[in-house]
Amino acid sequence: MKLTRRIFLGAASAAALFPVRSFAATRIDFGDVAITSVSDGHLSLPPAFALSGLSPEEIADLSARHNLPADLHKPPCNLTLLRQGERLVLFDAGAGPDFMGSAGKISASLEAIGVSPEEITDLVITHAHPDHIWGLLDDFDEPVFPNAALAMGAREFAYWTDPGTAATIGAERESFAAGAMRRLKPFADSIRLLQDGEELMPGVSARLTAGHTPGHMSYEIATPEGRLWVIGDAIGNGHISLERPEFESSSDQDPPLGARTRSALLKALAASGDAVIGYHLPGSGLGRIRAEGAAFRFEEI
């Protein structure tokens, strides 16, 4: 395993586009498989989004220990790029231009590592929340990655393309449903729909990690030199999700199932020592999960 620690943007670009994270990518090599965490910028969220249900004292303690700002949390958005032979696979499409001004920066990050959107051969989706799929289409509703074959979990696709979802998802997520429908429908005739355990390509398998969304998928990348998991939002952050994995987060659409999935995934990753890229885990999101008693911590590589 070989790590290229940081690939930086130019100074001017970094200041304008990545006020929290000044690098475009972090790369790790497993033999002939290169895996890169590529930045789409960051989100800007009120603390209550992730910490709803905690007492003021618990929030204050957690914020102090993890240096979380009191007014606005800015979790990173870490996409994953896999290169093997002629395949160039991007996991998730980013937020695009319409969701949040601090995100949607994937094109700049790809440019910084010498990759154009036209070079992406495969686009693989973990789940259909805005910061993961609103980057599928540009301002003119044209595909941002025109040559990429699209794949995602069958259960996830069915949920977000069901006209009844908007009426049942809750008022706070109605825009998520409308946005997902708009961006997935153009691909309905060409998308590959994956089942739990299905092999996407040699060495890359889909693993159902439902709870954050009904059909959330993680992806196991197995090579002779080691394994890495693209876990999307199955582990949603680097603080409460690891310290109290049983905590039922309001950011999950099914909080009890999300907590069970998260707990099981954390235990498995800590036991295996496999590398992970978490979409909103700290820094590049590239690292390992370590057990600390009943809790866990994320150790960035």
Side-chain angles (χ1 to χ4, degrees), residues 56 100 206:
M100 194 173 288

Side-chain angles (χ1 to χ4, degrees), residues 103-222:
K105 315 302 183 185
I106 183 61
S107 293
S109 288
L110 290 175
E111 182 181 358
I113 60 174
V115 173
S116 71
E118 290 77 14
E119 292 178 84
I120 303 299
T121 62
D122 301 83
L123 188 56
V124 185
I125 304 301
T126 61
H127 66 293
H129 277 170
D131 51 325
H132 296 256
I133 70 156
W134 282 22
L136 282 173
L137 302 177
D138 63 18
D139 288 332
F140 302 97
D141 281 354
E142 295 293 332
V144 172
F145 306 96
N147 300 317
L150 185 64
M152 69 184 298
R155 185 185 301 182
E156 187 75 355
F157 182 81
Y159 175 78
W160 292 103
T161 55
D162 181 349
T165 294
T168 59
I169 198 172
E172 72 280 2
R173 290 189 172 100
E174 283 182 3
S175 64
F176 289 16
M181 179 76 82
R182 172 189 157 196
R183 289 162 178 86
L184 292 176
K185 275 294 187 180
F187 301 95
D189 294 334
S190 60
I191 191 170
R192 178 179 173 184
L193 300 178
L194 303 168
Q195 303 296 330
D196 182 26
E198 183 173 345
E199 190 174 67
L200 171 73
M201 55 184 280
V204 180
S205 299
R207 305 295 182 190
L208 183 65
T209 46
H212 184 66
T213 61
H216 186 289
M217 282 287 193
S218 297
Y219 296 92
E220 178 188 5
I221 302 170

Side-chain angles (χ1 to χ4, degrees), residues 44-289:
S44 299
L45 302 171
F49 182 80
L51 303 180
S52 175
L54 295 178
S55 70
E57 293 77 18
E58 288 174 315
I59 292 175
D61 174 66
L62 193 73
S63 298
R65 286 187 291 104
H66 291 275
N67 196 30
L68 302 177
D71 56 344
L72 203 64
H73 289 183
K74 298 180 178 180
C77 297
N78 303 305
L79 283 70
T80 302
L81 185 69
L82 180 152
R83 184 188 291 273
Q84 184 177 29
E86 296 181 355
R87 302 282 288 269
L88 193 57
V89 184
L90 184 65
F91 293 83
D92 289 329
D98 299 327
F99 181 56
M100 194 173 288
S102 58
K105 315 302 183 185
I106 183 61
S107 293
S109 288
L110 290 175
E111 182 181 358
I113 60 174
V115 173
S116 71
E118 290 77 14
E119 292 178 84
I120 303 299
T121 62
D122 301 83
L123 188 56
V124 185
I125 304 301
T126 61
H127 66 293
H129 277 170
D131 51 325
H132 296 256
I133 70 156
W134 282 22
L136 282 173
L137 302 177
D138 63 18
D139 288 332
F140 302 97
D141 281 354
E142 295 293 332
V144 172
F145 306 96
N147 300 317
L150 185 64
M152 69 184 298
R155 185 185 301 182
E156 187 75 355
F157 182 81
Y159 175 78
W160 292 103
T161 55
D162 181 349
T165 294
T168 59
I169 198 172
E172 72 280 2
R173 290 189 172 100
E174 283 182 3
S175 64
F176 289 16
M181 179 76 82
R182 172 189 157 196
R183 289 162 178 86
L184 292 176
K185 275 294 187 180
F187 301 95
D189 294 334
S190 60
I191 191 170
R192 178 179 173 184
L193 300 178
L194 303 168
Q195 303 296 330
D196 182 26
E198 183 173 345
E199 190 174 67
L200 171 73
M201 55 184 280
V204 180
S205 299
R207 305 295 182 190
L208 183 65
T209 46
H212 184 66
T213 61
H216 186 289
M217 282 287 193
S218 297
Y219 296 92
E220 178 188 5
I221 302 170
T223 79
E225 289 77 18
R227 288 189 299 184
L228 180 142
W229 291 71
V230 180
I231 59 173
D233 288 3
I235 302 171
N237 56 61
H239 38 83
I240 190 68
S241 290
L242 282 90
E243 290 192 9
R244 291 173 55 182
E246 77 288 351
F247 176 72
E248 296 184 3
S249 172
S250 60
S251 65
D252 293 334
Q253 288 185 221
D254 185 335
L257 178 57
R260 293 195 298 273
T261 294
R262 182 167 51 252
S263 295
L265 183 60
L266 284 165
K267 290 176 183 177
L269 290 171
S272 69
D274 293 341
V276 302
I277 294 181
Y279 204 84
H280 300 302
L281 290 181
S284 67
L286 173 58
R288 302 185 193 278
I289 301 298

Side-chain angles (χ1 to χ4, degrees), residues 2-11 13-14 18 21-29 34-40 81 83 108-115 284 286 300-301:
K2 180 181 178 183
L3 176 70
T4 301
R5 183 61 181 166
R6 293 287 185 265
I7 303 167
F8 286 90
L9 289 170
S13 298
F18 297 90
R21 182 180 178 191
S22 62
F23 58 92
T26 300
R27 172 173 159 173
I28 187 170
D29 293 341
I35 301 171
T36 307
S37 169
V38 191
S39 179
D40 193 49
L81 185 69
R83 184 188 291 273
S109 288
L110 290 175
E111 182 181 358
I113 60 174
V115 173
S284 67
L286 173 58
E300 191 175 3
I301 294 175

